[in-house]
Amino acid sequence: VVTWHVDSLGDHDLLADYQETLSTFLEAQGYHFEHREFLKHVTLGRSPFLPSQWKKAFKPLPIYFQNLHLYESHSGLRYEPIWTHDLLPPFEEIEHI
């Protein structure tokens, strides 16, 4: 698996806070989770590869998210979206001369 790990800007990690709040809520509703460290990431691909070559190809870049999605995991690496929440954009473009 090739993933892009995501770090928050600033002193406070709002995404980790949100994940913890969501997990607590869903557990109270009867859902069960594997309790392991939360890894914020974007999956780029799944295939045999040489890690040393991939590491050379990537540099840290800023990223922002437009949506949060909750997926249900099925067998065979198949994921079904069951919930989406739109996020506020990080900036608003204003027409000007």
Side-chain angles (χ1 to χ4, degrees):
V1 175
V2 178
T3 62
W4 181 357
H5 295 205
V6 178
D7 293 321
S8 298
L9 294 175
D11 295 334
H12 198 71
D13 190 347
L14 295 175
L15 188 57
D17 290 349
Y18 181 77
Q19 185 273 337
E20 183 177 335
T21 300
L22 181 60
S23 293
T24 300
F25 170 78
L26 291 172
E27 283 183 329
Q29 304 306 308
Y31 293 93
H32 302 285
F33 294 92
E34 295 176 24
H35 288 277
R36 57 184 179 185
E37 186 177 351
F38 178 57
L39 176 62
K40 300 174 297 248
H41 72 282
V42 176
T43 301
L44 301 174
R46 295 175 182 269
S47 184
F49 65 93
L50 297 173
S52 60
Q53 289 179 351
W54 276 85
K55 287 180 182 179
K56 291 178 190 176
F58 290 95
K59 303 290 181 214
L61 294 171
I63 185 173
Y64 75 90
F65 301 95
Q66 295 176 321
N67 316 94
L68 288 176
H69 303 282
L70 180 63
Y71 290 92
E72 182 176 4
S73 176
H74 298 280
S75 62
L77 300 175
R78 193 171 59 85
Y79 300 92
E80 181 180 337
I82 58 175
W83 178 85
T84 296
H85 177 71
D86 293 330
L87 300 173
L88 294 174
F91 52 85
E92 181 180 345
E93 187 172 351
I94 301 171
E95 288 191 38
H96 62 283
I97 297 176

